[in-house]
Amino acid sequence: MTEPARTEETRELSPEDLALRIGEIASDKVAQDIRVFDLREIVSYTDYFVICSGGTERQTKAIHDAIYQELKDVYGRLPRRVEGLTESRWILMDYLDAVIHIFTPDARSYYRLEQLWGDAPSQTIE
C-alpha cells in the first residue's frame, strides 16, 4: 500500500509567508510595483499589507482572481472580505494576517497608501 502524496494543502502559511506568497502570485500576473509592508509593530488588525498595481481594471481583477484561486485551492484559505471588485480600480482582499490592495495606477496615485505606511518596514517583490 502506497502512502498518499504530501501536498501543500497540509502546510500552514505563517503571516509573513502568506504575504510573500501573495506578492509572488501578483508578480506572476505581471503586477507592478509590488510592496509588502510589515505592520506587526504598528497596527493590531493585520500583520502585513501587500500593495500592487495592475495596468487596467481587467488586470487588477485578474490579479485578484489568481490570488483568490491559489489561496483557496492550495491552502484552503478564503478572504474574510473582498471590496471593490465591481469597479476593480481598488480591490481590497482581507485575509486577516495580510490585507491586499490591488490598484489601477490612477487609484494608487490618488490614495497614496505607501506614504501613509512609509515608516513601516517594507520590501519590494520583483
Side-chain angles (χ1 to χ4, degrees):
M1 186 175 244
T2 61
E3 187 172 296
R6 185 172 169 84
T7 66
E8 286 187 85
E9 290 178 50
T10 60
R11 195 180 84 185
E12 275 296 311
L13 290 173
S14 70
E16 181 177 15
D17 288 341
L18 174 65
L20 294 174
R21 182 63 198 132
I22 288 166
E24 291 167 358
I25 297 166
S27 178
D28 290 346
K29 286 295 176 184
V30 197
Q32 302 151 6
D33 194 17
I34 305 164
R35 303 265 315 268
V36 177
F37 290 86
D38 182 346
L39 302 178
R40 291 176 293 182
E41 301 296 320
I42 300 172
V43 300
S44 61
Y45 57 86
T46 192
D47 291 336
Y48 292 91
F49 269 2
V50 179
I51 301 173
C52 65
S53 297
T56 65
E57 288 89 352
R58 177 177 271 176
Q59 187 181 12
T60 62
K61 177 134 179 19
I63 295 165
H64 160 275
D65 292 350
I67 293 167
Y68 179 92
Q69 203 62 52
E70 179 170 321
L71 293 183
K72 177 182 169 224
D73 293 348
V74 177
Y75 301 101
R77 296 194 64 165
L78 293 172
R80 183 164 210 216
R81 72 173 198 223
V82 175
E83 295 182 14
L85 198 53
T86 304
E87 291 186 14
S88 299
R89 290 181 289 149
W90 176 5
I91 301 172
L92 180 141
M93 304 174 76
D94 185 351
Y95 282 92
L96 300 178
D97 294 332
V99 176
I100 302 85
H101 301 271
I102 310 165
F103 289 102
T104 59
D106 289 343
R108 188 169 181 169
S109 175
Y110 180 80
Y111 289 104
R112 299 177 297 184
L113 289 187
E114 286 95 339
Q115 288 182 349
L116 181 63
W117 301 106
D119 293 338
S122 70
Q123 59 184 300
T124 301
I125 295 182
E126 300 298 327

